PDB file of all heavy atoms in Angstrom:
ATOM      1  N   LEU G  49    -166.808 191.906 249.430  1.00  0.00           N
ATOM      2  CA  LEU G  49    -168.066 191.933 248.577  1.00  0.00           C
ATOM      3  C   LEU G  49    -168.080 191.350 247.181  1.00  0.00           C
ATOM      4  O   LEU G  49    -168.736 190.472 246.731  1.00  0.00           O
ATOM      5  CB  LEU G  49    -168.621 193.333 248.507  1.00  0.00           C
ATOM      6  CG  LEU G  49    -169.983 193.546 248.425  1.00  0.00           C
ATOM      7  CD1 LEU G  49    -170.902 192.954 249.468  1.00  0.00           C
ATOM      8  CD2 LEU G  49    -170.365 195.112 248.399  1.00  0.00           C
ATOM      9  N   HIS G  50    -166.968 191.907 246.501  1.00  0.00           N
ATOM     10  CA  HIS G  50    -166.755 191.440 245.134  1.00  0.00           C
ATOM     11  C   HIS G  50    -165.821 190.408 244.844  1.00  0.00           C
ATOM     12  O   HIS G  50    -165.734 189.679 243.831  1.00  0.00           O
ATOM     13  CB  HIS G  50    -166.310 192.661 244.243  1.00  0.00           C
ATOM     14  CG  HIS G  50    -167.210 193.858 244.391  1.00  0.00           C
ATOM     15  ND1 HIS G  50    -168.545 193.787 243.973  1.00  0.00           N
ATOM     16  CD2 HIS G  50    -166.960 195.036 244.935  1.00  0.00           C
ATOM     17  CE1 HIS G  50    -169.016 195.148 244.297  1.00  0.00           C
ATOM     18  NE2 HIS G  50    -168.119 195.775 244.903  1.00  0.00           N
ATOM     19  N   TRP G  95    -158.727 193.123 244.476  1.00  0.00           N
ATOM     20  CA  TRP G  95    -159.167 192.151 243.484  1.00  0.00           C
ATOM     21  C   TRP G  95    -158.309 190.836 243.297  1.00  0.00           C
ATOM     22  O   TRP G  95    -158.205 190.389 242.233  1.00  0.00           O
ATOM     23  CB  TRP G  95    -159.333 192.864 242.094  1.00  0.00           C
ATOM     24  CG  TRP G  95    -160.307 194.050 242.110  1.00  0.00           C
ATOM     25  CD1 TRP G  95    -159.948 195.341 242.279  1.00  0.00           C
ATOM     26  CD2 TRP G  95    -161.713 194.089 241.970  1.00  0.00           C
ATOM     27  NE1 TRP G  95    -160.956 196.135 242.287  1.00  0.00           N
ATOM     28  CE2 TRP G  95    -162.163 195.465 242.068  1.00  0.00           C
ATOM     29  CE3 TRP G  95    -162.748 193.090 241.800  1.00  0.00           C
ATOM     30  CZ2 TRP G  95    -163.467 195.778 242.094  1.00  0.00           C
ATOM     31  CZ3 TRP G  95    -163.981 193.466 241.659  1.00  0.00           C
ATOM     32  CH2 TRP G  95    -164.455 194.799 241.810  1.00  0.00           C
ATOM     33  N   LEU G 419    -169.759 200.104 251.768  1.00  0.00           N
ATOM     34  CA  LEU G 419    -170.503 199.055 251.015  1.00  0.00           C
ATOM     35  C   LEU G 419    -170.117 199.088 249.577  1.00  0.00           C
ATOM     36  O   LEU G 419    -170.457 198.129 248.813  1.00  0.00           O
ATOM     37  CB  LEU G 419    -172.065 199.450 251.130  1.00  0.00           C
ATOM     38  CG  LEU G 419    -172.948 198.393 250.737  1.00  0.00           C
ATOM     39  CD1 LEU G 419    -172.631 196.961 251.293  1.00  0.00           C
ATOM     40  CD2 LEU G 419    -174.426 198.800 250.963  1.00  0.00           C
ATOM     41  N   ASP G 420    -169.157 199.939 249.115  1.00  0.00           N
ATOM     42  CA  ASP G 420    -168.727 199.711 247.817  1.00  0.00           C
ATOM     43  C   ASP G 420    -167.739 198.442 247.656  1.00  0.00           C
ATOM     44  O   ASP G 420    -167.609 197.883 246.588  1.00  0.00           O
ATOM     45  CB  ASP G 420    -167.999 201.103 247.224  1.00  0.00           C
ATOM     46  CG  ASP G 420    -168.993 202.111 246.926  1.00  0.00           C
ATOM     47  OD1 ASP G 420    -169.754 201.702 245.892  1.00  0.00           O
ATOM     48  OD2 ASP G 420    -169.072 203.187 247.443  1.00  0.00           O
ATOM     49  N   TYR G 421    -167.148 198.237 248.681  1.00  0.00           N
ATOM     50  CA  TYR G 421    -166.150 197.104 248.676  1.00  0.00           C
ATOM     51  C   TYR G 421    -166.415 196.020 249.796  1.00  0.00           C
ATOM     52  O   TYR G 421    -165.978 194.899 249.638  1.00  0.00           O
ATOM     53  CB  TYR G 421    -164.822 197.626 248.826  1.00  0.00           C
ATOM     54  CG  TYR G 421    -164.169 198.343 247.583  1.00  0.00           C
ATOM     55  CD1 TYR G 421    -164.330 199.747 247.609  1.00  0.00           C
ATOM     56  CD2 TYR G 421    -163.759 197.676 246.495  1.00  0.00           C
ATOM     57  CE1 TYR G 421    -163.778 200.507 246.457  1.00  0.00           C
ATOM     58  CE2 TYR G 421    -163.314 198.328 245.354  1.00  0.00           C
ATOM     59  CZ  TYR G 421    -163.390 199.672 245.356  1.00  0.00           C
ATOM     60  OH  TYR G 421    -162.855 200.462 244.296  1.00  0.00           O
TER      61      TYR G 421
ATOM     62  N   ARG S  79    -176.833 196.211 249.178  1.00  0.00           N
ATOM     63  CA  ARG S  79    -175.572 195.363 249.246  1.00  0.00           C
ATOM     64  C   ARG S  79    -175.581 194.425 247.916  1.00  0.00           C
ATOM     65  O   ARG S  79    -174.523 194.293 247.280  1.00  0.00           O
ATOM     66  CB  ARG S  79    -175.658 194.462 250.517  1.00  0.00           C
ATOM     67  CG  ARG S  79    -174.638 193.383 250.591  1.00  0.00           C
ATOM     68  CD  ARG S  79    -174.943 192.497 251.680  1.00  0.00           C
ATOM     69  NE  ARG S  79    -174.366 191.187 251.481  1.00  0.00           N
ATOM     70  CZ  ARG S  79    -173.152 190.922 251.824  1.00  0.00           C
ATOM     71  NH1 ARG S  79    -172.446 191.764 252.448  1.00  0.00           N
ATOM     72  NH2 ARG S  79    -172.608 189.660 251.563  1.00  0.00           N
ATOM     73  N   GLU S  80    -176.735 193.867 247.746  1.00  0.00           N
ATOM     74  CA  GLU S  80    -176.742 192.800 246.503  1.00  0.00           C
ATOM     75  C   GLU S  80    -176.741 193.583 245.143  1.00  0.00           C
ATOM     76  O   GLU S  80    -176.260 193.010 244.264  1.00  0.00           O
ATOM     77  CB  GLU S  80    -177.951 191.868 246.682  1.00  0.00           C
ATOM     78  CG  GLU S  80    -177.773 190.946 247.900  1.00  0.00           C
ATOM     79  CD  GLU S  80    -176.499 190.114 247.839  1.00  0.00           C
ATOM     80  OE1 GLU S  80    -175.899 189.825 246.817  1.00  0.00           O
ATOM     81  OE2 GLU S  80    -176.085 189.770 249.009  1.00  0.00           O
ATOM     82  N   ILE S  81    -177.224 194.790 245.260  1.00  0.00           N
ATOM     83  CA  ILE S  81    -177.243 195.562 243.992  1.00  0.00           C
ATOM     84  C   ILE S  81    -175.700 195.842 243.631  1.00  0.00           C
ATOM     85  O   ILE S  81    -175.231 195.612 242.504  1.00  0.00           O
ATOM     86  CB  ILE S  81    -178.049 196.923 244.128  1.00  0.00           C
ATOM     87  CG1 ILE S  81    -179.490 196.468 244.258  1.00  0.00           C
ATOM     88  CG2 ILE S  81    -177.874 197.719 242.824  1.00  0.00           C
ATOM     89  CD1 ILE S  81    -180.325 197.754 244.603  1.00  0.00           C
ATOM     90  N   ILE S  82    -175.067 196.323 244.620  1.00  0.00           N
ATOM     91  CA  ILE S  82    -173.588 196.654 244.441  1.00  0.00           C
ATOM     92  C   ILE S  82    -172.696 195.459 244.110  1.00  0.00           C
ATOM     93  O   ILE S  82    -171.954 195.434 243.251  1.00  0.00           O
ATOM     94  CB  ILE S  82    -173.068 197.405 245.699  1.00  0.00           C
ATOM     95  CG1 ILE S  82    -173.828 198.726 245.756  1.00  0.00           C
ATOM     96  CG2 ILE S  82    -171.573 197.612 245.573  1.00  0.00           C
ATOM     97  CD1 ILE S  82    -173.509 199.568 247.145  1.00  0.00           C
ATOM     98  N   ARG S  83    -173.115 194.437 244.881  1.00  0.00           N
ATOM     99  CA  ARG S  83    -172.372 193.060 244.702  1.00  0.00           C
ATOM    100  C   ARG S  83    -172.509 192.570 243.216  1.00  0.00           C
ATOM    101  O   ARG S  83    -171.630 192.157 242.621  1.00  0.00           O
ATOM    102  CB  ARG S  83    -172.887 192.155 245.668  1.00  0.00           C
ATOM    103  CG  ARG S  83    -171.930 190.895 245.920  1.00  0.00           C
ATOM    104  CD  ARG S  83    -172.298 190.188 247.298  1.00  0.00           C
ATOM    105  NE  ARG S  83    -171.747 188.939 247.190  1.00  0.00           N
ATOM    106  CZ  ARG S  83    -172.351 187.824 246.793  1.00  0.00           C
ATOM    107  NH1 ARG S  83    -173.595 187.884 246.207  1.00  0.00           N
ATOM    108  NH2 ARG S  83    -171.791 186.698 246.839  1.00  0.00           N
ATOM    109  N   ALA S  84    -173.700 192.806 242.627  1.00  0.00           N
ATOM    110  CA  ALA S  84    -173.949 192.291 241.361  1.00  0.00           C
ATOM    111  C   ALA S  84    -173.332 193.158 240.225  1.00  0.00           C
ATOM    112  O   ALA S  84    -173.134 192.774 239.083  1.00  0.00           O
ATOM    113  CB  ALA S  84    -175.497 192.273 241.053  1.00  0.00           C
ATOM    114  N   ALA S  85    -173.006 194.446 240.584  1.00  0.00           N
ATOM    115  CA  ALA S  85    -172.421 195.336 239.692  1.00  0.00           C
ATOM    116  C   ALA S  85    -170.951 195.743 239.704  1.00  0.00           C
ATOM    117  O   ALA S  85    -170.214 195.559 238.852  1.00  0.00           O
ATOM    118  CB  ALA S  85    -173.297 196.707 239.701  1.00  0.00           C
ATOM    119  N   GLY S  86    -170.596 195.986 240.914  1.00  0.00           N
ATOM    120  CA  GLY S  86    -169.290 196.504 241.241  1.00  0.00           C
ATOM    121  C   GLY S  86    -169.312 197.645 242.034  1.00  0.00           C
ATOM    122  O   GLY S  86    -170.422 198.210 242.339  1.00  0.00           O
ATOM    123  N   PRO S  87    -168.232 198.348 242.469  1.00  0.00           N
ATOM    124  CA  PRO S  87    -168.230 199.494 243.235  1.00  0.00           C
ATOM    125  C   PRO S  87    -168.912 200.619 242.541  1.00  0.00           C
ATOM    126  O   PRO S  87    -168.674 200.923 241.388  1.00  0.00           O
ATOM    127  CB  PRO S  87    -166.718 199.885 243.499  1.00  0.00           C
ATOM    128  CG  PRO S  87    -166.006 198.749 243.072  1.00  0.00           C
ATOM    129  CD  PRO S  87    -166.813 197.938 242.139  1.00  0.00           C
ATOM    130  N   THR S  88    -169.863 201.319 243.243  1.00  0.00           N
ATOM    131  CA  THR S  88    -170.599 202.493 242.673  1.00  0.00           C
ATOM    132  C   THR S  88    -169.501 203.599 242.308  1.00  0.00           C
ATOM    133  O   THR S  88    -169.850 204.505 241.557  1.00  0.00           O
ATOM    134  CB  THR S  88    -171.612 203.037 243.551  1.00  0.00           C
ATOM    135  OG1 THR S  88    -171.231 203.560 244.700  1.00  0.00           O
ATOM    136  CG2 THR S  88    -172.685 201.920 243.874  1.00  0.00           C
ATOM    137  N   VAL S  89    -168.470 203.630 243.053  1.00  0.00           N
ATOM    138  CA  VAL S  89    -167.491 204.737 242.870  1.00  0.00           C
ATOM    139  C   VAL S  89    -166.392 204.348 241.755  1.00  0.00           C
ATOM    140  O   VAL S  89    -165.466 205.309 241.425  1.00  0.00           O
ATOM    141  CB  VAL S  89    -166.746 205.055 244.222  1.00  0.00           C
ATOM    142  CG1 VAL S  89    -167.719 205.547 245.118  1.00  0.00           C
ATOM    143  CG2 VAL S  89    -166.066 203.898 244.784  1.00  0.00           C
ATOM    144  N   ARG S  90    -166.423 203.199 241.113  1.00  0.00           N
ATOM    145  CA  ARG S  90    -165.496 202.802 240.103  1.00  0.00           C
ATOM    146  C   ARG S  90    -166.379 201.974 239.093  1.00  0.00           C
ATOM    147  O   ARG S  90    -166.222 200.810 239.094  1.00  0.00           O
ATOM    148  CB  ARG S  90    -164.422 201.996 240.587  1.00  0.00           C
ATOM    149  CG  ARG S  90    -163.384 202.711 241.462  1.00  0.00           C
ATOM    150  CD  ARG S  90    -162.538 203.805 240.615  1.00  0.00           C
ATOM    151  NE  ARG S  90    -161.773 203.139 239.433  1.00  0.00           N
ATOM    152  CZ  ARG S  90    -160.561 202.779 239.472  1.00  0.00           C
ATOM    153  NH1 ARG S  90    -159.764 202.922 240.623  1.00  0.00           N
ATOM    154  NH2 ARG S  90    -159.937 202.250 238.381  1.00  0.00           N
ATOM    155  N   VAL S  91    -167.090 202.687 238.227  1.00  0.00           N
ATOM    156  CA  VAL S  91    -167.977 201.907 237.350  1.00  0.00           C
ATOM    157  C   VAL S  91    -167.225 201.263 236.206  1.00  0.00           C
ATOM    158  O   VAL S  91    -167.723 200.483 235.499  1.00  0.00           O
ATOM    159  CB  VAL S  91    -169.062 202.776 236.766  1.00  0.00           C
ATOM    160  CG1 VAL S  91    -170.057 203.167 237.779  1.00  0.00           C
ATOM    161  CG2 VAL S  91    -168.538 203.985 236.088  1.00  0.00           C
ATOM    162  N   LEU S  93    -164.936 199.174 236.952  1.00  0.00           N
ATOM    163  CA  LEU S  93    -164.474 197.917 237.610  1.00  0.00           C
ATOM    164  C   LEU S  93    -165.736 196.959 237.993  1.00  0.00           C
ATOM    165  O   LEU S  93    -166.783 197.373 238.169  1.00  0.00           O
ATOM    166  CB  LEU S  93    -163.713 198.200 238.915  1.00  0.00           C
ATOM    167  CG  LEU S  93    -162.484 199.080 238.719  1.00  0.00           C
ATOM    168  CD1 LEU S  93    -161.836 199.351 240.047  1.00  0.00           C
ATOM    169  CD2 LEU S  93    -161.422 198.402 237.798  1.00  0.00           C
ATOM    170  N   GLY S  94    -165.281 195.653 238.064  1.00  0.00           N
ATOM    171  CA  GLY S  94    -166.433 194.731 238.532  1.00  0.00           C
ATOM    172  C   GLY S  94    -167.224 194.257 237.372  1.00  0.00           C
ATOM    173  O   GLY S  94    -166.920 194.553 236.229  1.00  0.00           O
ATOM    174  N   LYS S  95    -168.308 193.648 237.678  1.00  0.00           N
ATOM    175  CA  LYS S  95    -169.228 193.038 236.673  1.00  0.00           C
ATOM    176  C   LYS S  95    -169.754 194.135 235.590  1.00  0.00           C
ATOM    177  O   LYS S  95    -169.877 193.882 234.496  1.00  0.00           O
ATOM    178  CB  LYS S  95    -170.280 192.280 237.280  1.00  0.00           C
ATOM    179  CG  LYS S  95    -169.786 191.058 238.034  1.00  0.00           C
ATOM    180  CD  LYS S  95    -170.955 190.346 238.769  1.00  0.00           C
ATOM    181  CE  LYS S  95    -170.444 189.211 239.650  1.00  0.00           C
ATOM    182  NZ  LYS S  95    -169.700 188.157 238.872  1.00  0.00           N
ATOM    183  N   GLN S  96    -170.047 195.313 236.080  1.00  0.00           N
ATOM    184  CA  GLN S  96    -170.599 196.405 235.440  1.00  0.00           C
ATOM    185  C   GLN S  96    -169.723 196.896 234.336  1.00  0.00           C
ATOM    186  O   GLN S  96    -170.161 197.412 233.386  1.00  0.00           O
ATOM    187  CB  GLN S  96    -170.902 197.646 236.280  1.00  0.00           C
ATOM    188  CG  GLN S  96    -169.648 198.140 236.992  1.00  0.00           C
ATOM    189  CD  GLN S  96    -169.921 198.988 238.293  1.00  0.00           C
ATOM    190  OE1 GLN S  96    -171.014 199.442 238.474  1.00  0.00           O
ATOM    191  NE2 GLN S  96    -168.954 199.205 239.144  1.00  0.00           N
ATOM    192  N   SER S  97    -168.347 196.579 234.540  1.00  0.00           N
ATOM    193  CA  SER S  97    -167.433 197.123 233.683  1.00  0.00           C
ATOM    194  C   SER S  97    -167.558 196.548 232.192  1.00  0.00           C
ATOM    195  O   SER S  97    -167.062 197.122 231.236  1.00  0.00           O
ATOM    196  CB  SER S  97    -165.980 196.948 234.100  1.00  0.00           C
ATOM    197  OG  SER S  97    -165.649 195.488 234.099  1.00  0.00           O
ATOM    198  N   ARG S  99    -170.006 196.395 230.482  1.00  0.00           N
ATOM    199  CA  ARG S  99    -170.901 197.284 229.551  1.00  0.00           C
ATOM    200  C   ARG S  99    -169.973 198.309 229.020  1.00  0.00           C
ATOM    201  O   ARG S  99    -170.462 199.026 228.084  1.00  0.00           O
ATOM    202  CB  ARG S  99    -171.981 197.984 230.449  1.00  0.00           C
ATOM    203  CG  ARG S  99    -172.990 196.978 231.054  1.00  0.00           C
ATOM    204  CD  ARG S  99    -173.912 197.860 232.026  1.00  0.00           C
ATOM    205  NE  ARG S  99    -174.216 196.946 233.017  1.00  0.00           N
ATOM    206  CZ  ARG S  99    -174.590 197.403 234.299  1.00  0.00           C
ATOM    207  NH1 ARG S  99    -174.647 198.752 234.391  1.00  0.00           N
ATOM    208  NH2 ARG S  99    -174.918 196.682 235.251  1.00  0.00           N
TER     209      ARG S  99
END
Side-chain angles (χ1 to χ4, degrees):
Chain G
L49 206 56
H50 309 292
W95 308 89
L419 193 53
D420 280 299
Y421 290 99
Chain S
R79 171 193 157 86
E80 292 303 332
I81 295 171
I82 294 172
R83 199 163 160 270
T88 65
V89 295
R90 287 294 301 266
V91 291
L93 302 177
K95 295 177 187 298
Q96 61 197 345
S97 65
R99 294 176 218 154

